[in-house]
Amino acid sequence: MLDTTPLTAAVDQFADRLRAAPQSRLQRGAAAEALALARELAVRAQRIEAPSAEPREMPDAGMFAAADQITVAGRDLALVLADRGELAEALELVAEAQRRAGV
């Protein structure tokens, strides 16, 4: 079984920083970056779980929910990952999104 602890830790760290960020930072793009990441992680999880089904898009629940959305999507992906390469890609996605978000 693949140890996906690094992914859940990275997602949790990003989510914690988003929760601590001022509203102005969220409005300037941090929340949008988080939502884009959550959507990508969710799509990746859905493609692993049901490769023949059309992935559903995670809705925009507002800037104050973005941290929760990346947490849920990241943990969902962590549960289904079985490939080290996919884990590395997911970790890089989280790191890049956090850099772009500036938190």
Side-chain angles (χ1 to χ4, degrees), residues 8-20:
T8 55
V11 167
D12 288 349
Q13 180 192 39
F14 187 12
D16 288 344
R17 289 185 176 195
L18 284 169
R19 289 182 186 105

Side-chain angles (χ1 to χ4, degrees), residues 72-95:
V72 169
R75 288 178 179 274
D76 283 352
L77 180 58
L79 288 173
V80 298
L81 278 177
D83 179 84
R84 291 187 193 281
E86 291 174 341
L87 174 61
E89 288 176 11
L91 286 167
E92 185 58 32
L93 287 173
V94 174

Side-chain angles (χ1 to χ4, degrees), residues 40-60:
E40 179 61 27
L41 296 178
V43 164
R44 287 172 182 246
Q46 290 175 62
R47 286 192 176 135
I48 292 169
E49 289 182 308
S52 62
E54 182 67 29
R56 296 169 310 279
E57 183 177 76
M58 181 174 283
D60 183 347

